[in-house]
Amino acid sequence: MILITGAAGFIGGNFVHHWFERLDSQGLSTDEPVVVYDKLTYAGNPNTIAAHLQSGRATLIQADITDRDAVREALHTHRPRAILHFAAESHVDRSIHGPGEFIHTNMVGTFSLLEEARTYWGALPEAEKAAFRFLHVSTDEVYGSLGDDDAAFSETTAYAPNSPYSASKAGSDHLVRAYHHTYGFPTLTTNCSNNYGPYHFPEKLIPLVILNALEGKPLPVYGDGLNIRDWLYVRDHCEAICQVLVKGTLGEVYNVGGINEIRNIDVVTTICRKLDELRPRESGRYEDLITYVKDRPGHDRRYAIDPTKIQRDIGWAPSETFESGINKTVRWYLDNTAWIDTVRSGAYRDWLTQNYAGRA
Ligand code: NAD
Ligand code: DAU
């Protein structure tokens, strides 16, 4: 069995679905169970993986990764052959309003997990010890911001994180690296670009724009809207993680990207046009709702991933284009209003007020 931290969140939740639905290179699916270790913060929603929890293939432990006793107990009770570490505070804007939680979860939490996992791994019988993996899921944001003509981020690009979020993820990456170098702990790290797809919490750009548009609310575009992100459909990211888990070389880092560099304003207009087609407004077009607002402080201009290494050494490549992925995503949000209702709590509405009130 594998233990997955943060699997009630966006990417981890999609990973659980992908784990049970994918076919491996021999065309076989797996019934290897998973343990979901998740604090269930505002971003964690067990409804995302309800079908797998009900079937018994997934087990949920509601606990914090900074709680070393709880981590130790989970490892000794379930005896995983691998840990996939997704749990994090993940939203750049929230890290600007309150960085403390990001340092605590992303750095102290990763440290706690590494310490307990290292002790657990050290006591395994030789064959299990040799097979054990700790896969750390990280972000392209650790590399900082690119100019228009700069080469895309490779695994050897120097770290230059610019937000409390990316600095905390950079710190966690360095800890993982050090645990491999110092203790021989069997780590793998992936640094991925912007994901989008089903079950994405609607504080991030793509789900926020879809849901605001459907409610006739302003579509907030920060600054001049010309910042560029490299968008990857979430299931492509999940497949990359599955393949790195099997084929990755210990201690190595793999950059994962969609080869889909798109300006924010073009992301927003693409969604608007898709909605015009699928759910036309009674009058006017969705683009009429676009509203430029005050920029994010320290807003990174451009991210782009060079995926040469993962393509060459692992054999992974994205299967969705932005057009096919956004089509699936918009349709998913139109068809899954029950999930959306469960995440739009009072706390979510408070966040919208906090983040957008001062930007007009
Ligand atoms: P998310 O915010 O949707 O989910 C995070 C999950 O972690 C939630 O279920 C939450 O309850 C859980 N969690 C938070 N703090 C915890 C703690 N202290 N203990 C246990 N669980 C805790 O995030 P996401 O977008 O799914 O991102 C998952 C990982 O992928 C993160 O490490 C993030 O840095 C990385 N990543 C995200 C993207 C992206 O575009 N979303 C891109 C690259 C990398
Ligand atoms: O690059 C990977 C990162 O992508 C992950 O590490 C993060 O966890 C994930 O949240 C994401 O970070 P971003 O800051 O790029 O994602 P977000 O959806 O918040 O913003 C995408 C772009 O859209 C960014 O340039 C800011 C802009 N934006 C965002 C919001 C919420 C807007 O213009 N308006 C908005 O209302």
Side-chain angles (χ1 to χ4, degrees):
M1 84 126 59
I2 56 170
L3 185 141
I4 314 178
T5 71
F10 164 48
I11 305 176
N14 275 284
F15 184 88
V16 172
H17 288 286
H18 192 69
W19 180 252
F20 292 117
E21 289 166 15
R22 78 186 282 265
L23 301 178
D24 67 14
S25 54
Q26 270 97 46
L28 301 172
S29 62
T30 185
D31 56 4
E32 184 179 15
V34 301
V35 169
V36 173
Y37 187 103
D38 197 300
K39 183 179 175 183
L40 301 184
T41 67
Y42 76 92
N45 182 356
N47 288 318
T48 298
I49 50 169
H52 300 295
L53 293 173
Q54 279 153 17
S55 75
R57 296 197 292 185
T59 304
L60 175 65
I61 298 173
Q62 184 178 357
D64 193 321
I65 53 169
T66 64
D67 179 346
R68 286 183 57 173
D69 292 341
V71 171
R72 191 179 313 126
E73 188 181 330
L75 293 175
H76 287 281
T77 303
H78 295 284
R79 307 201 61 78
R81 70 168 175 94
I83 298 173
L84 307 187
H85 178 33
F86 293 84
E89 288 290 337
S90 72
H91 189 189
V92 175
D93 290 318
R94 285 187 190 256
S95 83
I96 295 166
H97 286 275
E101 200 60 40
F102 286 70
I103 304 305
H104 191 60
T105 285
N106 299 356
M107 294 182 66
V108 179
T110 301
F111 165 70
S112 304
L113 200 58
L114 283 167
E115 272 295 89
E116 291 303 326
R118 180 169 73 89
T119 306
Y120 164 76
W121 164 76
L124 288 173
E126 277 315 309
E128 288 173 41
K129 192 174 176 188
F132 186 80
R133 297 287 181 272
F134 182 99
L135 192 152
H136 174 60
V137 179
S138 193
T139 170
D140 60 355
E141 298 205 12
V142 298
Y143 299 118
S145 184
L146 293 169
D148 286 346
D149 299 326
D150 290 338
F153 302 132
S154 77
E155 291 78 1
T156 54
T157 301
Y159 272 36
N162 288 321
S163 71
Y165 162 69
S166 53
S168 67
K169 290 296 291 188
S172 68
D173 293 6
H174 291 321
L175 283 170
V176 171
R177 176 190 158 87
Y179 271 62
H180 176 71
H181 188 80
T182 304
Y183 305 114
F185 187 59
T187 64
L188 298 159
T189 297
T190 52
N191 290 84
C192 188
S193 60
N194 284 64
N195 285 216
Y196 66 101
Y199 306 109
H200 204 177
F201 193 76
E203 63 186 2
K204 308 282 176 74
L205 179 69
I206 287 181
L208 181 93
V209 165
I210 296 170
L211 297 186
N212 275 17
L214 291 172
E215 293 187 353
K217 291 181 180 168
L219 310 181
V221 174
Y222 294 168
D224 61 8
L226 301 182
N227 302 66
I228 291 172
R229 297 291 182 266
D230 181 353
W231 293 95
L232 180 69
Y233 190 64
V234 62
R235 286 293 194 108
D236 278 328
H237 184 191
C238 296
E239 179 57 23
I241 289 170
C242 288
Q243 294 194 27
V244 169
L245 182 64
V246 175
K247 298 183 226 167
T249 300
L250 294 185
E252 289 290 313
V253 172
Y254 297 91
N255 282 0
V256 187
I259 320 176
N260 259 325
E261 282 188 59
I262 309 177
R263 303 182 310 179
N264 289 345
I265 188 62
D266 297 329
V267 170
V268 175
T269 53
T270 302
I271 294 169
C272 288
R273 286 171 196 164
K274 185 51 68 183
L275 285 170
D276 285 333
E277 178 193 323
L278 296 172
R279 184 73 58 87
R281 297 182 76 193
E282 283 177 14
S283 66
R285 294 155 64 236
Y286 286 103
E287 281 179 50
D288 302 338
L289 298 170
I290 291 174
T291 307
Y292 287 91
V293 299
K294 193 172 165 197
D295 210 351
R296 170 186 281 173
H299 195 177
D300 285 339
R301 192 63 171 171
R302 172 179 166 237
Y303 302 145
I305 283 275
D306 173 356
T308 305
K309 180 175 174 183
I310 192 168
Q311 290 184 346
R312 183 193 61 220
D313 295 356
I314 304 290
W316 171 89
S319 63
E320 301 285 352
T321 62
F322 188 67
E323 200 182 335
S324 65
I326 204 72
N327 182 35
K328 286 183 179 176
T329 304
V330 171
R331 286 175 187 275
W332 188 88
Y333 278 91
L334 291 175
D335 292 343
N336 287 276
T337 48
W339 183 88
I340 293 159
D341 291 343
T342 64
V343 298
R344 299 176 106 188
S345 64
Y348 172 65
R349 286 193 291 276
D350 293 346
W351 162 252
L352 293 184
T353 307
Q354 187 187 9
N355 192 41
Y356 294 101
R359 291 188 189 267

